[in-house]
Amino acid sequence: MTVFLVIIVLALLAVTGWQMSKIFQLSKGPGAESSEIANDNDNRQQAKLMLWFMIFLYVGMAYSFWHWSKLYLPESASEHGNEVDTLMFISIGLIMVVQVITQALLHWFAYKYQGKKGNRALFFADNDKLEFIWTIIPVITLAGLIIYGLFTWSDIMNIGEDEDPIVIEIYAKQFSWQARYAGEDNTLGEANVRFIEGINTVGLNVNDSYADDDKITTELHLPVGKKVLFKFRSQDVLHSAYFPHFRAQMNVVPGMVTQFAFTPDITTAEMRNSDYMVDKVKTINEIRKENSEILMAEGEAPLDSYEFDYFLLCNKICGDAHYNMQMKIIVESEEEYNQWLSEQDEFAAVMESQE
């Protein structure tokens, strides 16, 4: 009720101010120049302001590119990621060229053709040549981008029968991820949320023999240079599996299975040793050191030093703890991957241990 009354009071004050401005205009008399009609002096001022705003716009744009470019993601860690980056930078380049030209013309014309007393603007109803030019150029440009994007998307989504990818299921629930690896048969067992009970947290069908050798983990390990086919399921709400360093993302929808595949081509160790990441980690640890000194002065524990890791993130706002829904990803050699996978318990063995 109080908020409603405040809104009413503010609205009445606004109406009062508007009425007072009208009374002020009427009190000037019939001979006074109306401030609502721009004169030559007003037009000159506005024209100059347009030029200054154009300069401000371009300076701000250049500064933003220079200052914030350090926040770009590092080079892609997947084979298809370079194509995605190329498509993105082509799009940005085209947008920037058009933006620079059109904004320059807009502000310059506002200055050059400023209003002057006695001048009359040239009017014509249409110009077929101009309309053809500004229609066909965007059509050709957008068609090229769309076709290029479709070919890139097709390369990512279409998996050849001879590629024999590793099959991994990513299971999402508020607010964590689990990975399920197919066993020696490279076939995932049947799963459904109706089968969830006790330690069977991802809902595997205990009567399906294909599920016996599946392995469920809370950490995602991937072999470098090997194609991985991800299948996504959600237990509760809409999530989105986001692999920023691999330039991959897929919605995880309750009641259906979505999928995509990519081939990681940079190991975790290699990314940690890249110049970009060494510099980034150094900067973050310097900030953490300063904050740790403040925390220790207040009697609290210091922050741990930061070390880079790939992470799977949720890119849909799925609830209160959405920000913390992540799973560590380790990209390693195929030998290290096989060694790690052999140490994980199979689903059948886990179920038998609980009987």
Side-chain angles (χ1 to χ4, degrees):
M1 187 64 181
T2 303
V3 175
F4 181 68
L5 291 174
V6 170
I7 294 173
I8 293 176
V9 170
L10 291 175
L12 290 174
L13 287 174
V15 172
T16 302
W18 177 67
Q19 292 292 345
M20 290 180 65
S21 68
K22 300 297 289 183
I23 294 171
F24 178 75
Q25 291 294 331
L26 292 172
S27 67
K28 289 184 176 181
E33 184 178 354
S34 173
S35 61
E36 295 182 1
I37 301 176
N39 54 35
D40 287 354
N41 185 52
D42 294 329
N43 289 329
R44 280 193 298 272
Q45 290 179 353
Q46 294 301 316
K48 291 177 181 177
L49 284 174
M50 289 294 281
L51 285 183
W52 280 111
F53 185 79
M54 179 182 68
I55 294 171
F56 169 77
L57 178 68
Y58 288 139
V59 169
M61 181 181 66
Y63 173 79
S64 296
F65 270 100
W66 169 77
H67 184 70
W68 300 111
S69 61
K70 61 187 177 183
L71 298 182
Y72 278 142
L73 284 169
E75 61 179 315
S76 171
S78 65
E79 289 184 356
H80 78 266
N82 293 325
E83 297 180 31
V84 174
D85 287 348
T86 300
L87 180 60
M88 184 188 74
F89 284 120
I90 289 174
S91 301
I92 291 175
L94 288 171
I95 291 169
M96 290 306 302
V97 169
V98 173
Q99 187 263 354
V100 168
I101 293 174
T102 55
Q103 291 297 321
L105 291 174
L106 172 68
H107 291 82
W108 170 247
F109 284 176
Y111 174 79
K112 183 177 181 180
Y113 300 108
Q114 58 188 272
K116 293 180 182 178
K117 192 172 183 179
N119 282 5
R120 294 178 63 85
L122 175 65
F123 172 80
F124 53 90
D126 55 62
N127 187 310
D128 293 340
K129 184 177 181 180
L130 280 177
E131 290 180 7
F132 177 79
I133 291 172
W134 67 51
T135 300
I136 199 66
I137 291 178
V139 167
I140 294 173
T141 304
L142 288 174
L145 287 174
I146 291 170
I147 292 171
Y148 179 38
L150 286 174
F151 276 108
T152 303
W153 179 250
S154 179
D155 290 341
I156 297 170
M157 297 301 295
N158 294 336
I159 304 168
E161 295 181 358
D162 58 336
E163 293 185 79
D164 190 28
I166 297 173
V167 181
I168 303 175
E169 180 186 77
I170 303 296
Y171 188 69
K173 58 183 176 181
Q174 294 174 314
F175 298 94
S176 63
W177 301 95
Q178 286 179 286
R180 177 162 65 107
Y181 291 79
E184 294 295 330
D185 54 13
N186 203 28
T187 302
L188 291 169
E190 181 189 1
N192 193 292
V193 293
R194 292 173 297 178
F195 298 138
I196 295 176
E197 183 179 3
I199 60 172
N200 187 4
T201 55
V202 299
L204 293 189
N205 184 354
V206 295
N207 297 317
D208 182 9
S209 60
Y210 285 117
D212 290 344
D213 60 354
D214 288 356
K215 299 180 179 183
I216 302 168
T217 68
T218 55
E219 193 172 80
L220 185 59
H221 284 241
L222 305 175
V224 67
K226 182 74 174 177
K227 175 154 288 204
V228 181
L229 174 62
F230 295 96
K231 294 182 176 289
F232 301 94
R233 285 194 304 129
S234 172
Q235 177 175 302
D236 35 49
V237 299
L238 180 65
H239 299 278
S240 187
Y242 179 40
F243 302 76
H245 293 92
F246 304 94
R247 311 300 194 266
Q249 180 172 324
M250 178 58 70
N251 283 344
V252 187
V253 185
M256 67 181 295
V257 176
T258 54
Q259 69 176 43
F260 69 69
F262 66 75
T263 304
D265 60 0
I266 300 179
T267 67
T268 300
E270 289 170 340
M271 184 62 79
R272 285 173 179 171
N273 292 326
S274 66
D275 293 338
Y276 171 93
M277 199 55 65
V278 168
D279 183 62
K280 178 179 179 179
V281 170
K282 179 181 177 182
T283 301
I284 292 175
N285 281 328
E286 287 174 353
I287 297 172
R288 288 197 170 200
K289 183 179 178 181
E290 294 175 1
N291 292 336
S292 292
E293 292 174 354
I294 297 173
L295 291 172
M296 292 173 66
E298 297 173 352
E300 298 184 23
L303 299 172
D304 296 330
S305 60
Y306 170 73
E307 183 178 50
F308 169 78
D309 276 304
Y310 295 122
F311 276 95
L312 165 61
L313 307 173
C314 180
N315 209 21
K316 284 286 188 293
I317 301 177
C318 56
D320 293 342
H322 153 76
Y323 69 94
N324 203 33
M325 185 173 171
Q326 54 188 319
M327 180 165 64
K328 183 178 177 179
I329 303 173
I330 297 176
V331 180
E332 55 200 354
S333 67
E334 190 166 359
E335 294 75 18
E336 292 172 319
Y337 166 78
N338 290 331
Q339 175 64 31
W340 172 83
L341 190 60
S342 66
E343 297 170 355
Q344 308 307 307
D345 294 328
E346 294 183 348
F347 175 69
V350 173
M351 296 301 293
E352 288 176 5
S353 67
Q354 298 297 316
E355 291 178 357

